[in-house]
Structure formats: C-alpha cells, structure tokens
Amino acid sequence: MSDTEETGIRLQKALAQAGIASRRNSELLIEQGRVEVDGAVVTEFGTRVDPAVSVIRVDGERIPPLTDHAYLVLNKPRGVVTTMSDPQGRPCVADYVLDRPERLFHIGRLDTDTEGLLLLTNHGEFAHRLAHPSYEVSKTYVAEVDGNVKLGTLRRLLDGVNLEDGPAQADTVKEISSIRGRTLVQITLHEGRNRIVRRMFDAIGHPVKRLTRTAIGPVRRGNLHTGELRDLDHKELGQLLDLVDL
C-alpha cells in the first residue's frame, strides 16, 4: 500500500517535501522531539499527516503546507498605482507580475506616492484575514517629514491623535535622523485606514514628504530593491499563517 492510499503521508516525507531536511535527517528531528503536529510533539516515525491541513512545526517554527497558492512581496516604487489595472494607463502593480501564471491580487494598498512592501497572493482567505483589523498585523514605515520634530511631539503619536474618522495611535515611534529642516522617523502601527500615516503626521504639524513601508509583520524589506518581487520564504509565510490563524 502506498503513502497516499492510507490517510495522509508519513511525517518525515512531509518534512522532506517541505524542504526542511532529507527523510533521514527528518527522522532525526522527529527522534529528538523537535517536531510538533497540531500542538503535540511527535516522536514516532510512522505518524501520518495531511500536509494541507496539519499544523507542523520544527523547533517551534511553523512549516507552511505544500500549496498551489502564491505568496509574494513587491517593493512597490513611488508613483505606481496599487491596482491590477488602470484605465488611465498609469503604471500599476500588475506591470510587475505580468510573467506570473497565477491570477494575483494585492493585499491592502499603498498610496501612489508611497513606496515599499506590498503583499500579493491568489489565496482569498489569507488575503481577507491579513487585511482584517482584528488580526492586528503590524506595519512599519520610515517617514521623511517636514521640520525638526521634538521628542514630545513624537510622543503624541504614541498617546494617540484625533483624526476625522476617529483616533489613531502608533505602537512604536523613533527618530532616525534630523537635518536641515527634515526628520526621518520610523513608525509602527496596526492601522490600515486610508493614508493613516500621512494624516497622523499632519495632525502633529509635520507633513510627510516621503513615505516607505519597510515591514509587514515578519516580512522585512531587507535587500529587496525598488521594483523587485520575490516569494515569501518558509519562515515568513509560516509566521503570517500563524498571525491569521490559518
């Protein structure tokens, strides 16, 4: 009887298919008690799993299931419209995925004048949850703002500022540098409202001149150049799946 004729496949085969280790080394991981399936440590080599639904972890890190879904990150250039088509003929996100076979869509959006990280996928439930405020996925930006910002003024962002559609509050704020009437500020928040970062800085009297999103949850810009696209790695995807309970 083959692996697929029984329920699921052997755990060591699932680990090998996920690229974690060879089957033999996967057996060692199991033997050492470093592998969990659905919250329980597994030490038996004959354990069978369904890689599409079983939550598998090695050393506590989620191993994403094998899937036909695509999970990508784009470092969107400034001036590119966050749409998959544009009737006005402006450059848009779709221009960067023309060679992809999947029907992709972006998760959330960035203003046309804002550059930085944007996630794309063809997994509808993943996209829905990641964009939903109840899951509180953090986003980090670097803002170049007008003027030299005083520490007390930055603290107002942590305390919360009132906007026309309700209060908004940053999780963390820190000054990176300040020179010649310009200040670079890193800000992290869970907000997803339209132009929220720009409006928060407007509220404290320091309009944004340039804005870049540098992180979405565990996904960091790193060495991804402007206009470049890459697949999420196993660790990033596993952490995002955990964040949105998938």
Side-chain angles (χ1 to χ4, degrees), residues 24-53:
R24 176 59 192 141
N25 286 336
S26 294
E27 289 176 353
L28 290 175
L29 293 173
I30 294 168
E31 187 177 38
Q32 293 164 1
R34 296 166 61 185
V35 182
E36 296 178 25
V37 177
D38 296 329
V41 174
V42 174
T43 55
E44 296 179 5
F45 297 151
T47 301
R48 289 180 174 271
V49 297
D50 181 347
V53 291

Side-chain angles (χ1 to χ4, degrees), residues 176-215:
I176 299 172
S177 64
S178 182
I179 189 171
R180 298 194 185 111
R182 292 285 189 277
T183 305
L184 275 184
V185 180
Q186 179 178 286
I187 179 171
T188 299
L189 65 165
H190 292 89
E191 282 277 0
R193 281 179 279 168
N194 187 41
R195 299 178 66 83
I196 187 69
V197 175
R198 294 178 184 275
R199 292 191 289 137
M200 289 174 72
F201 278 103
D202 282 343
I204 64 170
H206 292 277
V208 171
K209 298 301 181 182
R210 189 168 190 134
L211 186 62
T212 304
R213 184 154 71 191
T214 58

Side-chain angles (χ1 to χ4, degrees), residues 101-115:
E102 308 91 352
R103 185 176 180 274
L104 297 164
F105 46 89
H106 51 85
I107 302 175
R109 59 188 303 111
L110 285 175
D111 303 330
T112 303
D113 290 338
T114 300
E115 58 194 304

Side-chain angles (χ1 to χ4, degrees), residues 142-202:
V142 171
E144 179 187 331
V145 304
D146 192 25
N148 299 111
V149 187
K150 295 180 180 178
L151 183 59
T153 304
L154 282 182
R155 285 189 183 136
R156 289 178 55 196
L157 298 175
L158 294 172
D159 295 335
V161 293
N162 290 317
L163 306 178
E164 65 273 15
D165 54 354
Q169 187 175 21
D171 298 326
T172 64
V173 180
K174 71 174 182 179
E175 179 185 305
I176 299 172
S177 64
S178 182
I179 189 171
R180 298 194 185 111
R182 292 285 189 277
T183 305
L184 275 184
V185 180
Q186 179 178 286
I187 179 171
T188 299
L189 65 165
H190 292 89
E191 282 277 0
R193 281 179 279 168
N194 187 41
R195 299 178 66 83
I196 187 69
V197 175
R198 294 178 184 275
R199 292 191 289 137
M200 289 174 72
F201 278 103
D202 282 343

